[in-house]
Amino acid sequence: MPAKVISGKEVAGEIRDELKKKVAELNGKGVYPGLGVILVGEDPASVSYVTSKAKGCEEIGIHEETIRLAADTSEDEVLQLIDKMNNDKKFSGILVQLPLPDHIDEEKVVNKIAPEKDVDGFHPVNQGLLLRGEQCPLPCTAHGAQQMLMRSGNDPAGKHVVICGRSNIVGKPLAAMLMQKAKGANAVVTVVHTGAKDIAYFTKQADILVAAMGRPQTITADMVKEGAIVIDVGVNRIEDASKKKGFRLVGDVDYEPIAEKASYITPVPGGVGPMTVTMLLYNTVEAAEIISQS
Ligand code: GUN
């Protein structure tokens, strides 16, 4: 039987509806979540991401400001701006769109954001809290993947989750999240990466397989166990002359044959992608609530 498709659009819509209610409730208490976004330069993909973040904020009723800086803005100016935003009550969340131009040290910039306003969950303090299983903003894509599992009735508790990819943004935080003794977690987690001699040996054992390598259609059907739940985090452009833009988006898994074998699967596009911005909105709202209570 073909796999059930877990729609990121649907799950994201559900969470956005909940967030709208939460924002109205916070507003009633005089708490106004706000997101400050810093964009340096005009990279088209970054401009597109920043636009969808602004739209998302508008949809759920939170204040948003995007500060657009020229590509030659100095590192110092960016750091000073973050400092100002850290002390500005209008912003419960601050996000610096990555990648930054080469002359700016990304690590320095991320480390400058106040951890309680770090809605990406990239600050080392938050990475440490996550590993310890303590309250912190969760990295948005990893959190989105977890929400898709939970909200499709696939609680990872007691399951063997195999994560392909060890990035700081997805693989590592997702492993840290799912291994915790906590609701929506308590899984046995294996992280597979290019150092593995036989990747398929591990992927074939997965009850839940997460592909987050950033390599198009690399997981093939022979690498997947019958009935597995497959979460595809990859978003890759591949050439396609039949498309107006000259490319199409594919994930890290070979979708059609795997959909014949898996019990659940996330599509690309329309899977984990729409969840990332939604979980950013979630973190912005949650940060406002936490800051208001401190
Ligand atoms: N660039 C691409 N994805 C992201 C993201 O999730 N956060 C930030 N800050 N930059 C990005």
Side-chain angles (χ1 to χ4, degrees), residues 66-134:
T66 299
I67 295 113
R68 291 170 180 251
L69 302 173
D72 62 356
T73 303
S74 72
E75 182 181 282
D76 229 36
E77 279 176 82
V78 176
L79 295 174
Q80 279 174 31
L81 177 59
I82 295 171
D83 210 24
K84 222 171 98 190
M85 291 166 85
N86 280 341
N87 293 304
D88 189 336
K89 289 199 165 59
K90 266 203 314 275
F91 302 117
S92 54
I94 300 169
L95 178 146
V96 180
Q97 187 64 32
L98 304 175
L100 288 166
D102 288 345
H103 66 279
I104 302 178
D105 183 339
E106 272 182 16
E107 203 177 313
K108 254 195 204 166
V109 166
V110 169
N111 292 2
K112 187 75 177 172
I113 299 171
E116 66 276 15
K117 293 192 176 188
D118 164 38
V119 281
D120 268 322
F122 292 169
H123 192 287
V125 164
N126 289 323
Q127 291 175 327
L129 290 170
L130 173 59
L131 201 59
R132 293 171 60 100
E134 292 177 32

Side-chain angles (χ1 to χ4, degrees), residues 104-241:
I104 302 178
D105 183 339
E106 272 182 16
E107 203 177 313
K108 254 195 204 166
V109 166
V110 169
N111 292 2
K112 187 75 177 172
I113 299 171
E116 66 276 15
K117 293 192 176 188
D118 164 38
V119 281
D120 268 322
F122 292 169
H123 192 287
V125 164
N126 289 323
Q127 291 175 327
L129 290 170
L130 173 59
L131 201 59
R132 293 171 60 100
E134 292 177 32
Q135 160 73 41
C136 63
L138 298 171
C140 303
T141 305
H143 193 193
Q146 186 195 34
Q147 286 295 315
M148 290 182 89
L149 286 170
M150 289 301 288
R151 289 172 187 253
S152 60
N154 292 301
D155 190 333
K159 302 257 169 64
H160 184 195
V161 180
V162 177
I163 300 169
C164 300
R166 55 180 157 185
S167 71
N168 287 329
I169 294 177
V170 186
K172 284 184 202 165
L174 186 59
M177 280 166 63
L178 296 185
M179 74 165 75
Q180 302 299 329
K181 193 169 185 178
K183 193 167 165 269
N186 216 16
V188 176
V189 180
T190 300
V191 180
V192 186
H193 45 73
T194 47
K197 288 200 174 67
D198 182 0
I199 288 175
Y201 168 81
F202 297 100
T203 58
K204 279 193 267 190
Q205 296 178 46
D207 301 316
I208 298 173
L209 180 62
V210 181
M213 313 84 72
R215 293 183 187 277
Q217 299 169 312
T218 308
I219 304 290
T220 49
D222 57 310
M223 298 167 77
V224 179
K225 182 169 80 175
E226 194 78 43
I229 297 154
V230 178
I231 307 291
D232 191 352
V233 179
V235 182
N236 311 286
R237 285 180 179 195
I238 58 166
E239 271 185 40
D240 186 340

Side-chain angles (χ1 to χ4, degrees), residues 2-13:
K4 291 197 179 93
V5 176
I6 311 174
S7 162
K9 275 191 200 152
E10 273 176 39
V11 178

